[in-house]
Amino acid sequence: MLFHPIIIPKQTAVVNSRAVFFAIIPAAGLTAGAPRCTLLETFREGFMTNGQHLLFYRNPARCWEEALPLGNGRIGAMVYGRADEELIELNEDTLWGGRPRSFDGGGYFEQLGEARRLLRERRFAEADEFISSHMLHYDSEGYLPAGRLKLRFAGPLPDGEYRRELELSEAVAATRTGGLLCEWFVSAPHQVLVMRCTATVPGTAGFALSLDSPLRHTVGIEAGDLFLNGVCPVHARGDEITETDAEGRGGIRFEIRARLLAEGGTVAAGAGALTASGADSIQLLVAIRSDFRGWNREPAGAFPAEACRADLDRAAAAGSDALRRAHIEEHQLYYRRSSLELPEDAADALPTDERLAAGTGAPSPALAALLYNYGRYLLLASSRPGTEPANLQGIWNRHTLPPWGSNYTTNINLEMNYWSALPANLAECAEPLFRFLREAAEAGKETAERLYHARGWCLHHNSDLWRFTYPATGQARWAYWPVAGLWLCRHICEYYRFTGNLEFLREAYPLLRGSAAFALDLLTGDESGALGTSPSTSPENGFLDPESGRTATVCACGSSMDLELIRECFLNLAEAAAELGLDEPLLAESEPALARLRRPGIGEAGQLLEYDEAYEEAEPHHRHLSHLYGVYPGELFTPDCDPERYEAARISLIRRGDRSTGWAMCWRLALWARFRDGGRAEAVLKEFLTPVDPAAETSYQSGGIYPNLLSAHPPFQIDANLGIPAAIAELLVQSHRRSADGTMILDLLPALPPGWEEGKLTGVRARNGVTLDLAWKNSRVAAVRIRAAKPVKVELNAPRFTRRVEAGPEAQFLTSYQ
């Protein structure tokens, strides 16, 4: 078993408003009767927290970007909260275009040689065009929607105040309209979408339920259940949908099955709909299953009606109260592990969309806390053990041809989706990523051998349900990038560093070894004997060809990102082999290659060069920050290790600017945290929290955030939402540095933004198996609670607070300010 979950026992923090202190109250876990916000006790009077775990609105959602997301990792739902005809958009994580397939890659290796020749002759723009025209022939598939639920309510609703909300700590969305309260959640324990609609006046609840889908489908009634049988196309990407292949076969088959249970009323079926009327309350249960059987297996070829019926039967037998209780208890076991609290202002009591608008230019610190808590919620809702990894939109997509296929984009986006899993204490949520990596490595062995005549395995910049590993169609600037596997392997090493799980490292080690073997065979030497990669791109960016003046995107001796990834890969291989006590023969190749590996250069302005030479930048404010990988998420460049390039990277970040797409601002925020600049971090957060009107015409690089707090590229991508908890955590706790004697340094409050003078972060995880709670006041550490999976020496470092401790399973409390 590749993945080993880590359960951290709950610790309750209690803080006095006059003198800051912590009391230890250990417990084995959360109980059903535990008070809400057990981990959210405040340390001064009047410190509000509800707005940091709640989204609420005065009006129904007008569009998808205002609807509220629910999920259990496999089933996703967007709840609109409409009073007349409720709309729920549905997703299931295995609904993708395509079927298993293979590619021949004929002639690619010879074309690679031609591209290298053009680059040696410094014909950069020609090499770019050659790769785009001759070497990029295939494409990944796209992620697809399942369908829509519509609830048309019976008769006019009573007058009354309207409110809809999403309670993050319970993962329950609710809509109150007059005398009707409807609650929605997606249960992980019971694997169904659940709605319960309760009338204030008994006998007045009623609605008609219908199902449809943008995919090919039929709708029917069976034994009182409403069902939809759908078929995915065999190809859906870009602007093209192909329903069947040459043999007449469609793609993945799926079923949505709904059941109504009424208390005090009646349920009727007919004309492709279910109707409930005259009820005190109505419970709706929805199951979704597909015939997907694995990335390299053909779909089963049958609609999964039996599996859906079994899901509904189990949920119905449990009863509505038990369903809700089991859902909340299971969700809180994960969600309550960590929380961030920051000061609120008067605007934080407003509905979420109004709160965003009120904060334009000067958002409340509490909005950053809400982003941290919301990001953890979304990761838990879109990635669970046994599910598919979160894609470009998590699991929430309404388009048959979504932007960028809503696929796995591996030149930043998939990686960012999982930045928070370890520091934000949701390690289990990374299991789908590790399974994806194992399967992509299996598919990528053939890709490495056929395309590069190389050992090991490789992955390019796009993938999908079928673990596509070839270069995609389009342009070299994004499609030619064969080192994605090296970046993803970083997540393996980080998992080990955060958890100390040696068995996990042992089982994942072949993936590290395979990526290093591929990197060795990819390297080429230049005239000086230095090693680099050719062709080489810095994902999606470009430079001006010195000869022709045209934009080019490929260079001859390795982009800085390629070189940083390969350097890190070789260092990680050596570290992992030493930890496992292995006599690794590949080190005899990687160690001398590491010594010859070209180092990223520094330009005349003191900036870190993105390419092998100081070319003129085609887009000085480009969204990607690939050459700064060595600062974050890596740690090749720090004030202690290569300070010259650390400073050069800081200058490069200044030159790039703060304003960009949503995910690019998330990366900027994490980098400014590593540069210990809280003021610049605050500026990026202000840009990130810029409200975006979904109906407005916006640049695709304008960034910002939608009314439902989903991040805007635009359009929507989930990566910034899932990555922002890690970036915010870096502002408050960093654990990537080591002292001269090898002791891990925990930097506390290294980049505290203005306005964050007091706050509390609980359950944040650090490397070496450390978990800590941190309270601060007047911008100084007030109290720390620290524990570790096994005894480890830690150096705590903060302004006017430095000490060494030996952390272990027994929590220690340290105070520094009263």
Side-chain angles (χ1 to χ4, degrees):
M1 176 176 172
L2 182 63
F3 179 76
H4 303 268
I6 295 90
I7 302 296
I8 304 298
K10 176 178 75 75
Q11 304 283 337
T12 302
V14 182
V15 188
N16 185 295
S17 63
R18 295 185 179 179
V20 177
F21 66 94
F22 280 73
I24 309 175
I25 307 176
L30 295 171
T31 61
R36 292 179 67 182
C37 300
T38 301
L39 292 179
L40 307 178
E41 301 296 336
T42 60
F43 64 83
R44 71 174 177 86
E45 295 175 3
F47 198 81
M48 299 181 292
T49 61
N50 191 47
Q52 300 179 39
H53 299 270
L54 179 72
L55 282 67
F56 81 98
Y57 305 83
R58 302 183 198 271
N59 299 294
R62 299 169 300 169
C63 57
W64 192 92
E65 290 83 3
E66 295 181 357
L68 296 173
L70 298 171
N72 66 356
R74 187 179 67 83
I75 299 172
M78 294 294 286
V79 181
Y80 282 64
R82 292 178 176 173
D84 51 353
E85 184 178 83
E86 175 63 291
L87 174 64
I88 312 296
E89 304 267 11
L90 299 174
N91 290 98
E92 203 272 351
D93 68 336
T94 63
L95 301 191
W96 290 69
R99 303 176 73 100
R101 53 186 178 157
S102 61
F103 310 98
D104 58 28
Y108 186 96
F109 186 72
E110 291 71 25
Q111 292 158 350
L112 182 67
E114 174 62 12
R116 286 172 173 167
R117 183 187 68 81
L118 291 170
L119 289 169
R120 285 194 300 270
E121 295 174 2
R122 300 183 61 80
R123 295 155 65 182
F124 301 113
E126 289 183 55
D128 190 318
E129 293 168 357
F130 178 83
I131 293 171
S132 300
S133 300
H134 295 84
M135 298 171 62
L136 310 176
H137 305 300
Y138 309 107
D139 214 344
S140 62
E141 290 297 337
Y143 177 60
L144 299 164
R148 296 177 287 258
L149 285 171
K150 293 182 180 179
L151 280 64
R152 184 176 294 279
F153 291 95
L157 294 173
D159 293 334
E161 183 178 351
Y162 176 91
R163 177 185 171 103
R164 65 185 175 101
E165 67 177 38
L166 173 59
E167 172 56 67
L168 303 181
S169 68
E170 295 184 349
V172 175
T175 304
R176 182 180 293 281
T177 306
L180 206 59
L181 172 65
C182 294
E183 289 189 320
W184 297 84
F185 59 90
V186 183
S187 169
H190 289 90
Q191 290 296 307
V192 290
L193 169 66
V194 181
M195 184 276 287
R196 185 173 184 181
C197 206
T198 304
T200 303
V201 178
T204 60
F207 56 77
L209 170 70
S210 62
L211 274 172
D212 71 357
S213 173
L215 305 181
R216 288 189 301 153
H217 69 279
T218 59
V219 175
I221 302 287
E222 180 187 64
D225 293 342
L226 174 66
F227 68 89
L228 180 150
N229 284 337
V231 183
C232 296
V234 293
H235 177 66
R237 190 66 205 274
D239 59 358
E240 180 183 343
I241 294 178
T242 305
E243 296 291 353
T244 59
D245 63 14
E247 299 174 32
R249 301 178 302 175
I252 290 172
R253 300 185 180 205
F254 65 96
E255 177 164 299
I256 306 172
R257 182 170 285 257
R259 184 177 299 177
L260 292 183
L261 303 171
E263 296 179 15
T266 60
V267 174
L274 298 181
T275 304
S277 59
D280 302 335
S281 67
I282 306 167
Q283 180 171 259
L284 166 64
L285 304 175
V286 181
I288 313 177
R289 294 283 179 178
S290 82
D291 70 341
F292 175 72
R293 298 191 299 170
W295 69 275
N296 56 356
R297 301 180 63 191
E298 291 290 342
F303 296 108
E306 184 176 348
C308 286
R309 282 194 298 267
D311 288 339
L312 295 181
D313 290 345
R314 282 192 296 269
S320 60
D321 291 340
L323 274 176
R324 192 180 193 277
R325 184 168 58 251
H327 160 72
I328 292 175
E329 287 180 1
E330 194 271 350
H331 171 74
Q332 290 183 342
L333 283 172
Y334 298 93
Y335 183 81
R336 285 186 173 182
R337 288 181 186 166
S338 179
S339 178
L340 175 62
E341 298 177 5
L342 292 170
E344 296 185 342
D345 60 26
D348 290 312
L350 295 171
T352 304
D353 51 346
E354 298 175 33
R355 185 179 175 186
L356 275 176
T360 301
S364 159
L367 269 173
L370 180 58
L371 287 178
Y372 178 87
N373 298 321
Y374 190 43
R376 294 181 70 255
Y377 164 85
L378 290 168
L379 181 57
L380 188 54
S382 61
S383 183
R384 294 288 197 100
T387 72
E388 294 302 310
N391 59 52
L392 269 179
Q393 296 184 196
I395 51 172
W396 300 282
N397 164 46
R398 73 185 190 278
H399 299 290
T400 52
L401 292 172
W404 303 287
S406 190
N407 64 8
Y408 300 120
T409 304
T410 54
N411 64 15
I412 173 61
N413 314 94
L414 177 60
E415 291 87 350
M416 185 179 285
N417 281 358
Y418 288 93
W419 280 359
S420 301
L422 291 163
N425 215 333
L426 291 174
E428 291 88 342
C429 292
E431 186 274 340
L433 179 68
F434 296 133
R435 184 163 22 86
F436 169 90
L437 187 52
R438 185 174 66 245
E439 294 167 352
E442 186 175 341
K445 291 177 184 176
E446 179 182 282
T447 307
E449 196 283 325
R450 286 187 176 181
L451 302 191
Y452 300 96
H453 294 185
R455 297 167 292 173
W457 65 278
C458 73
L459 170 67
H460 292 79
H461 98 294
N462 273 177
S463 192
D464 57 21
L465 183 73
W466 313 108
R467 307 316 184 226
F468 176 79
T469 58
Y470 269 56
T473 58
Q475 298 180 19
R477 70 165 61 213
W478 65 75
Y480 181 84
W481 196 65
V483 292
L486 277 66
W487 189 342
L488 286 167
C489 278
R490 174 181 174 80
H491 288 262
I492 292 172
C493 300
E494 286 290 87
Y495 186 91
Y496 173 70
R497 291 172 186 138
F498 272 79
T499 67
N501 190 325
L502 199 64
E503 186 58 29
F504 169 87
L505 182 63
R506 191 182 315 280
E507 295 183 15
Y509 181 79
L511 303 179
L512 300 177
R513 191 183 191 282
S515 66
F518 175 76
L520 282 166
D521 290 350
L522 188 68
L523 288 171
T524 61
D526 65 12
E527 294 178 354
S528 71
L531 293 177
T533 52
S534 178
S536 181
T537 60
S538 191
E540 304 189 32
N541 203 0
F543 57 91
L544 298 183
D545 182 344
E547 300 300 323
S548 68
R550 292 182 292 165
T551 297
T553 65
V554 290
C555 66
C557 298
S559 67
S560 291
M561 188 182 209
D562 277 10
L563 299 171
E564 291 164 29
L565 285 170
I566 293 171
R567 180 172 299 278
E568 181 182 70
C569 174
F570 292 165
L571 292 172
N572 285 343
L573 179 70
E575 177 188 347
E579 291 291 314
L580 294 170
L582 299 178
D583 182 14
E584 173 55 68
L586 203 62
L587 294 178
E589 298 179 59
S590 64
E591 289 175 351
L594 185 61
R596 294 174 55 198
L597 195 64
R598 191 179 68 79
R599 305 285 292 193
I602 297 176
E604 290 183 357
Q607 82 278 21
L608 191 71
L609 296 182
E610 190 162 359
Y611 296 95
D612 54 352
E613 296 181 29
Y615 308 112
E616 184 179 348
E617 293 177 287
E619 295 181 60
H621 303 298
H622 197 271
R623 59 195 178 277
H624 278 261
L625 302 161
S626 304
H627 55 314
L628 308 187
Y629 173 93
V631 177
Y632 187 93
E635 56 277 331
L636 294 172
F637 312 141
T638 73
D640 318 300
C641 178
D642 206 338
E644 184 182 18
R645 287 183 177 81
Y646 175 78
E647 174 60 18
R650 190 185 69 85
I651 293 171
S652 289
L653 185 57
I654 293 172
R655 288 161 61 95
R656 271 292 202 264
D658 294 338
R659 182 72 179 175
S660 192
T661 64
W663 62 261
M665 286 191 282
C666 175
W667 199 350
R668 282 159 169 78
L669 180 64
L671 283 162
W672 283 121
R674 286 282 172 95
F675 289 124
R676 299 166 173 258
D677 192 331
R680 200 65 183 256
E682 182 196 35
V684 174
L685 267 173
K686 287 180 181 178
E687 297 286 358
F688 185 88
L689 285 165
T690 300
V692 175
D693 182 353
E697 291 290 333
T698 53
S699 162
Y700 86 100
Q701 294 196 50
S702 63
I705 199 162
Y706 292 118
N708 58 9
L709 298 191
L710 293 179
S711 63
H713 187 75
F716 160 62
Q717 286 184 193
I718 197 75
D719 34 32
N721 288 109
L722 300 186
I724 204 90
I728 290 172
E730 285 287 319
L731 298 171
L732 305 174
V733 178
Q734 295 179 16
S735 63
H736 61 286
R737 297 197 304 133
R738 295 291 182 271
S739 66
D741 64 359
T743 301
M744 182 180 76
I745 299 173
L746 269 181
D747 287 307
L748 306 179
L749 310 182
L752 196 65
W756 295 24
E757 285 78 14
E758 57 183 316
K760 187 173 76 172
L761 175 63
T762 65
V764 68
R765 299 197 67 177
R767 293 165 180 84
N768 280 13
V770 169
T771 304
L772 72 153
D773 304 326
L774 173 66
W776 64 97
K777 192 169 184 177
N778 296 331
S779 301
R780 291 172 55 188
V781 171
V784 177
R785 179 176 59 200
I786 185 170
R787 58 194 181 276
K790 58 184 179 181
V792 59
K793 291 182 180 179
V794 177
E795 180 178 311
L796 300 173
N797 180 60
R800 292 178 284 182
F801 179 75
T802 302
R803 67 183 69 179
R804 286 197 170 197
V805 300
E806 184 165 313
E810 187 72 22
Q812 293 186 54
F813 287 82
L814 310 168
T815 62
S816 71
Y817 172 80
Q818 295 185 359

